[in-house]
Amino acid sequence: QVQLQESGPGLVKPSQTPSLTCTISGGSITATAYAWSWIRQSPGKGLEWMGVMFYDGRTVYSPSLKSRTSISRNTSRNQFSLQLTSVTPEDTAVYYCTRDSPGDDINSRLIGDYWGQGTQVTVSS
């Protein structure tokens, strides 16, 4: 059974660069059949796909967030991380890590097959 667990800073100040981590259990981040995404949901808004990391370490980002988003991984810990630069209150959201497939389009990545429980990030001074 695959399980994903997000961890993050909770409360951050505007202009900071928070880092979130997703720990994977029950599966390998390097398994060729899967890809790993970050998705967020802001209050009163729908799900927003942010980016994906493939089994070989390649990344693809949402065009609207590409300039501020970076996804990295630690294969020895079976973790992948999201860094979001220059945050504003509009970045306040619940952030989820998910598993999907390498060939998925964005709509499919918004569904995924495994999700973490989500971690709240609040941007406030």
Side-chain angles (χ1 to χ4, degrees):
Q1 179 74 8
V2 174
Q3 292 185 326
L4 306 176
Q5 179 65 59
E6 305 91 345
S7 60
L11 178 64
V12 298
K13 297 184 183 300
S15 81
Q16 289 187 334
T17 301
S19 182
L20 309 178
T21 295
C22 180
T23 301
I24 304 164
S25 58
S28 173
I29 196 171
T30 59
T32 58
Y34 306 113
W36 309 89
S37 285
W38 284 99
I39 292 170
R40 69 180 182 179
Q41 186 166 29
S42 301
K45 297 183 180 179
L47 296 172
E48 180 181 22
W49 177 78
M50 302 180 71
V52 61
M53 171 165 279
F54 297 100
Y55 58 87
D56 58 0
R58 289 179 298 118
T59 53
V60 175
Y61 300 106
S62 167
S64 64
L65 294 168
K66 184 176 181 179
S67 64
R68 299 197 296 125
T69 306
S70 178
I71 299 175
S72 60
R73 68 178 183 176
N74 184 324
T75 56
S76 64
R77 295 185 176 182
N78 217 31
Q79 296 175 330
F80 66 112
S81 297
L82 170 75
Q83 198 169 54
L84 187 62
T85 64
S86 305
V87 296
T88 72
E90 291 187 350
D91 293 308
T92 293
V94 178
Y95 287 75
Y96 299 93
C97 59
T98 69
R99 192 184 81 172
D100 47 53
S101 298
D104 280 352
D105 59 17
I106 291 176
N107 288 332
S108 296
R109 297 195 193 285
L110 287 171
I111 297 172
D113 59 0
Y114 286 98
W115 288 62
Q117 65 183 20
T119 187
Q120 175 72 46
V121 175
T122 301
V123 183
S124 175
S125 56

